[in-house]
Every structure is written in structure tokens, then in C-alpha cells.
Amino acid sequence: MNETSRPAQQVTIKDIAKKAGVSIATVSRVVNGKYLHKINPGTQAKVRRIIEEYKYEPSVSAVNLSKSRLRTIGMVFRPHGFKEFSTYFDEMIRGILSKVVEKNFNLMLLPLKMEHDVNFQKMVRSKTVSGLLLFWTHIDDLLIPTVMEENIPFVVLSNYSRALTYPYVDSANMQGASDAVDYLVRKGHARIGFISGSDDSRNAQDRFEGYKLGLKKNGLPFQQELYYRGSFLESEGARAMEYFLGLKERPTAVFSAGDIMAFGAIRYLKEKGLRVPDDIAVLGFDDSPLAESFDPQLSTIHQSVFDIGSNAADMLIKQIEGKGTPLKIIVDTKLVVRRSA
Amino acid sequence: MNETSRPAQQVTIKDIAKKAGVSIATVSRVVNGKYLHKINPGTQAKVRRIIEEYKYEPSVSAVNLSKSRLRTIGMVFRPHGFKEFSTYFDEMIRGILSKVVEKNFNLMLLPLKMEHDVNFQKMVRSKTVSGLLLFWTHIDDLLIPTVMEENIPFVVLSNYSRALTYPYVDSANMQGASDAVDYLVRKGHARIGFISGSDDSRNAQDRFEGYKLGLKKNGLPFQQELYYRGSFLESEGARAMEYFLGLKERPTAVFSAGDIMAFGAIRYLKEKGLRVPDDIAVLGFDDSPLAESFDPQLSTIHQSVFDIGSNAADMLIKQIEGKGTPLKIIVDTKLVVRRSA
DNA sequence: CTGAAAGCGCTTACAG
DNA sequence: CTGAAAGCGCTTACAG
């Protein structure tokens, strides 16, 4: 009959009140630290002691119900959309969590099941979450209006719409891609191939825009034959390189919209006995954890997915708490020069 | 004043009852599908229509409160414990989610803050979660007793204790490592180096045991000088290889307790101008997504982290629902032969 | 400084 | 077949 054998989670405000010889109202007040100045210090101490002894924690369901206020945010994403983005998703979660924990919120994962699943709608209406983080790796304006109808705070990560206006956080994709071209040109390249990501990815589109902008800034023309439409897959990188090598006039450098495709491109080059960067330079985008241990070490555009996550969580929590926030936050990218270019 | 402008989440059971001209008890009954046989079909239809029209979803807080039953499970982990395991964590989440979604549960992420944080305790006592998935990359018997005291269903992933008895799911680490040695011996190797993971990882210990078992089964002696104590980091793999190359008699093959360290080991070999597998064969453990595109493609022991996740979630949910479950589930590993060994 | 009581949105015996 | 009412564990004006 020792202390720990009692099922701890059964302790309620009533138990504490009884043990302390006060009303539940008083317990509630000390728990919430409200009107504390008008509560007898002795009473406070006694209640606190009992709470400590029983390790009492108010039931969230009850608190939520009576306050109509939550501290849980949901993250909506496509479970199959990030297969090739493992570390990406991971870093993002880490970033979100850092803020969520700091602000004493909770994070609930809400995977989208099908193309037009409205799982999150249920979570919203049932008051399971008080705000949404939307992470889709592709443009999906179809779902956003549904979310908007719910009249709930939300922030979109790493994507945005040209048609709709809503809060989002993204990397400086265009700037980063433009910087990539700048660098390559400085290194003497004039024939720069581009491997794009999937068309339905806003990030991919922006990087493509950045590539074109970079060319233009450096007085180079955009040439259709130096553009390869990829899809962020490793195999696509290899295929792209196969295509470039087949050109009558090969590019001397290739800029890939994603590290993974750059890996594939380099793999293909090595298989063909070509050397990187001597024969062809390859520059990636992402700075994934493996860029550094790849052979050769990958030069790339670093983007801080962690910061995207933490900024988005910060924006969302501020919205939930009724504070003002900027409509968008763009996280800087940075060129990281290693061996491949 | 169109339909969609009304803040949807405000709809309560009372509203539905009023619109349908019935009592809230009746609404509750049709929502829960209970005692349906004794409810007038016409009434049912009417209520259902209204619910549909207003897209009513019962408040989880209210339901939880009155039913004292939840459908949320929490995943406890060390946010900094998986930095080098990104895809690992990712696959695990994917596996968990597959089951969680199927069973109509929710997943809440509960990162441990400090060494002995009892964050999860709060979640349990406040009834935020009805069960816990414990994922620690190292042995931490200190926390498990705390969880056990809470008297809540839980399952440990990819780790277990020799002292305590509790439900867990893990890969067949020992078997896998033993298979690795078998394969290397079949390929003619008799001097097989081993790079271990961190000492405080149960996985690492088991793989080490498996390595020794494999040697013994093949009549080879365990030699201390062929053992290098690593820590699952890429740099450790390189350092291990540096050590092995410094031996008077080098190993002809090296088995690494993790792919990442194998990558580091191979990188070092390449830097020294040695060839894999010709000069030294290297075999990994994990079959991480990059094993395939590494140069050379990494031969390794595949483990299905996805299955660890889904099995653990399945066990946990069964526990929560009061169904019987096995005390442990061991997920098979499999040798994957590629180029490096 | 403190308590009684209404109310948050549901569920579920208990009556009828 | 259906409703009135108690109860789940809290919060918060309202009194005193």
C-alpha cells in the first residue's frame, strides 16, 4: 500500500481541495497563478505542497472545455511526399519542436491520407488543434481554401500561392539559385546546365526563376537545351546528366535544384569515368547532411530548414495568441563551397 | 451572409439538437452509432442530415472528459539523439503513423528536453495522451521506471533492458550482425574488423554480440585489436579505419555497426588511395537510403525501421484497448549485397 | 481572502 | 423510441 501503487493519473482537483481543506476554486486559483495576491500565503503554500506531493496536473480536456482554449498545433503533411526528403522533414520537425516546446505548446502530426483528404478539418472542428502548420511539397491551392474556410490560424511552410494571400515561411529560393549561377560564372563557366525539381513544387519553380535571373544578371542567355526537367529524385539526376552528356556541346557546369539529384548526376559522371569538378562541375541546393561526406564533397546552396520550421511555429503561435505577425518570412540561403564546384 | 462565413467550429451538439428538433441525447446516440436499432430511422436520417449540413464534429475535450478515454498516443524521444539518424527517425515516424492513422488515433510528439526531463509525466497526468511510445537511442533505464510508475500503456522502440521487463520492438540486431560475419567469411575473409556503435546503445551492444557470435560460429577467435569502439558518427568511421590501417596486420574486411560509420570508413580509405572492396571490404548495418547511391554502393544489413514503428504502434494501441499483445516483437534483418563487400 | 454555483460540450444510466 | 438530468474536471464571475 505504498505511495506509488496508487494510480497517479486519477488525482483530481477535488482530491487536492479535500486534502488541503479548501475549495476547488482556491486550488484552481493557485494552479493558475491568478489573483494570487489576494490569496492567503499560508493557504497557497499548503495547496502547493499537496499538489507537489500528489504531482497533480489539471486535466487538459477539462481545462480546454472550460476555457475554450488549446495549446496544441497540428502539422499537416503528405506522408509520401517526403520520401526523398527525409532529412528535410526531420530538420523541419526539429525546428518546429524547438519553438513549440519553448512556448509550451504541443505538436500533433496530421498526415494527409489521400489527395483531397480533409482529415485536418475534423481536427479543427473537434477542437483537437488550435492552429495548423501546412507542409506540402507541392503546390496545392485546392486544399488551402478549405483550410481558410475553417477560420483557424495557419501557416504554410516552404510553399506559397500566387493567387491566394496567406502567411507562409520559405527559403530565399530564387536568391539562392541566382547566387549559385553567380558563383559558377565567377569560376569561369558560361555554359551552365540546370536540373529542375518537379514542376508542381513552388520551390522548384523559384529555383528555376533564380537560375534564369542569375543568367540574365551575368549577361548569359537562357538556353532551352541546358534545361532538364527533373523531379528531385536521385535517379533523375543521373538521367539529367545522361542527357547533358549527349548534347553536341556539353555544359561545363551543372546546377541542380536539389542535392539528391546532384548526387545522382555525379554518380552518373563517375560511372562514365568523368571527373568532378574537373570535367564537369556540379552544384547542389539544400546542403543536406550528406553533402559533406559525399565524394567529392558537394558544393551547394545551404538552406536552413530548421529555421523555416521554427519561424513558422513562431508565427502560428503568435497568431493563435492574437498577436500580430508578418505575412511572410523568407529565410536566407547561403553558398557553401566545397569540392564539386 | 453566406453559409461559409459562419465560424464553423462553433457548432455544438445543442445546435444540432435544436435544428433537428430532438434532444441532445438523441444526437449523441446517432453520432456514436449506439443503440441505433432503437432509434426511429426517420429521426436518425434527419439528425444525420443536419450534422452533415453543419459538418458537426463533437468536441474532443468534451468527449474525453465524459468518457475518460482518449485516442492520442505520445512519442517520447531525444531531439538531439537522432541528429545522425535522420532517415531513421523519419522511417520510424512513417511506420508509426501508418498504424496510428489506420486505427484512427493521433500522434503527439513529446521531445525530451534535458537528461531527466519528465515532460511525458505531465502529459500522462493531464490526460493528454493515453499511451506512450518510447524511443531513445541509448539505454536509459532511469526513465523507464518513471514511466512505469505512471501506470500507463507504453512500448519501447529499438531498445530494451536486461533488468526490467516491458513491451518492446526491436530489429534482430544480433542475428543481423552474425549474418554479416557469415557472409564475409564466405567471401574468404578471416580477419574481420568491427566498428561498434556507442556503448550506451543497446543496438550497438547487440550488434557487437552478433559479431562475436558470427566469429565463433565460423571458428574464428575474437581479437581485441580488431575491435574499434565507435559512436555511430561519420567521423568515427574514418577514425576507425585510420586505426585499422595502422595495425601491423590489417583486417581484409570491416563490418560497421552502422551505415554512417561505414561511409566514413570508406571515405577515409578513398582518401588514402585504397580501393573498396578490393583492398578492404566494408559492410554496413541499417541500409539507409543513401547506401544505394554511395560510391561504391554499400553492402549492408537491412533493417526495417518502418516495421519497428508500425509494430510498436500496433502493440501500444492494442494495450490501450485492453487487448492482449506479445511482450516483444523482433523485426527481421536481411543481408543486402551490393558493391562494397 | 474564499466559497457556492453556473457553465464548458459531451455521455449515459434511468425513466417513461 | 426519446428525453431529463447527473456527471466528467475544470474556470470564473458573483457574493460575502
Side-chain angles (χ1 to χ4, degrees), chain A residues 25-286:
Chain A
T26 299
V27 175
S28 176
R29 286 179 189 120
V30 351
V31 166
N32 292 294
K34 269 184 174 170
Y35 320 108
L36 233 46
H37 50 102
K38 30 171 72 177
I39 297 183
N40 182 303
T43 311
Q44 277 186 49
K46 196 196 323 169
V47 172
R48 251 188 262 284
R49 190 161 39 67
I50 309 278
I51 287 176
E52 180 57 33
E53 179 183 339
Y54 287 80
K55 294 201 192 312
Y56 164 69
E57 286 288 346
S59 148
V60 279
S61 296
V63 173
N64 288 339
L65 188 56
S66 53
K67 289 221 258 204
S68 317
R69 183 220 76 187
L70 293 176
R71 295 190 80 78
T72 300
I73 69 186
M75 178 183 187
V76 180
F77 64 98
R78 295 191 188 287
H80 297 299
F82 60 88
K83 267 222 150 63
E84 288 267 336
F85 297 93
S86 290
T87 48
Y88 191 93
F89 182 72
D90 217 74
E91 267 305 301
M92 188 168 274
I93 292 277
R94 206 198 308 285
I96 293 170
L97 243 19
S98 74
K99 190 57 69 175
V100 160
V101 167
E102 174 195 331
K103 299 286 191 176
N104 231 298
F105 267 68
N106 291 119
L107 213 219
M108 188 163 270
L109 257 26
L110 307 178
L112 244 27
K113 295 180 209 175
M114 306 151 299
E115 197 55 25
H116 295 300
D117 182 25
V118 285
N119 184 20
F120 64 85
Q121 199 174 51
K122 182 178 159 194
M123 306 311 283
V124 170
R125 290 171 182 266
S126 64
K127 288 175 168 279
T128 305
V129 297
S130 48
L132 255 22
L133 249 22
L134 273 23
F135 173 48
W136 293 309
T137 53
H138 70 225
I139 302 170
D140 199 330
D141 294 347
L142 295 173
L143 275 169
I144 306 227
T146 317
V147 174
M148 290 178 123
E149 254 177 43
E150 290 305 317
N151 216 350
I152 188 182
F154 73 99
V155 172
V156 174
L157 291 92
S158 198
N159 190 12
Y160 62 91
S161 162
R162 294 222 163 89
L164 271 26
T165 298
Y166 51 74
Y168 71 87
V169 180
D170 202 357
S171 276
N173 288 300
M174 197 157 123
Q175 181 65 46
S178 169
D179 291 348
V181 174
D182 276 352
Y183 170 72
L184 260 11
V185 171
R186 280 206 305 282
K187 292 300 256 184
H189 297 285
R191 229 178 133 58
I192 302 170
F194 179 68
I195 311 177
S196 84
S198 345
D199 275 355
D200 60 0
S201 154
R202 176 70 62 190
N203 285 345
Q205 294 180 1
D206 286 355
R207 289 171 200 173
F208 180 38
E209 291 304 317
Y211 164 72
K212 288 191 288 190
L213 175 67
L215 291 178
K216 174 180 264 179
K217 286 200 306 185
N218 287 284
L220 296 171
F222 167 68
Q223 297 175 262
Q224 190 60 43
E225 64 167 9
L226 289 179
Y227 168 86
Y228 182 90
R229 181 169 171 281
S231 66
F232 285 127
L233 299 176
E234 206 265 351
S235 56
E236 274 303 308
R239 212 164 304 156
M241 198 47 91
E242 182 180 10
Y243 162 77
F244 285 133
L245 293 186
L247 252 36
K248 29 286 65 0
E249 199 185 345
R250 293 177 182 176
T252 60
V254 167
F255 170 45
S256 164
D259 279 1
I260 307 261
M261 291 190 296
F263 294 151
I266 293 177
R267 172 171 61 78
Y268 187 83
L269 284 171
K270 291 201 289 191
E271 281 168 19
K272 293 299 167 192
L274 293 175
R275 315 202 40 179
V276 179
D278 306 307
D279 294 320
I280 292 193
V282 177
L283 188 68
F285 197 117
D286 280 338

Side-chain angles (χ1 to χ4, degrees), chain B residues 84-98:
Chain B
E84 289 266 338
F85 297 93
S86 291
T87 47
Y88 192 94
F89 182 72
D90 218 74
E91 267 304 301
M92 189 169 273
I93 293 277
R94 204 197 309 285
I96 293 170
L97 242 20
S98 73

Side-chain angles (χ1 to χ4, degrees), chain B residues 45-61:
Chain B
K46 196 196 324 167
V47 172
R48 252 188 261 282
R49 190 163 37 68
I50 309 277
I51 287 176
E52 181 56 34
E53 179 183 339
Y54 287 80
K55 294 202 195 310
Y56 164 70
E57 286 287 343
S59 149
V60 280
S61 296

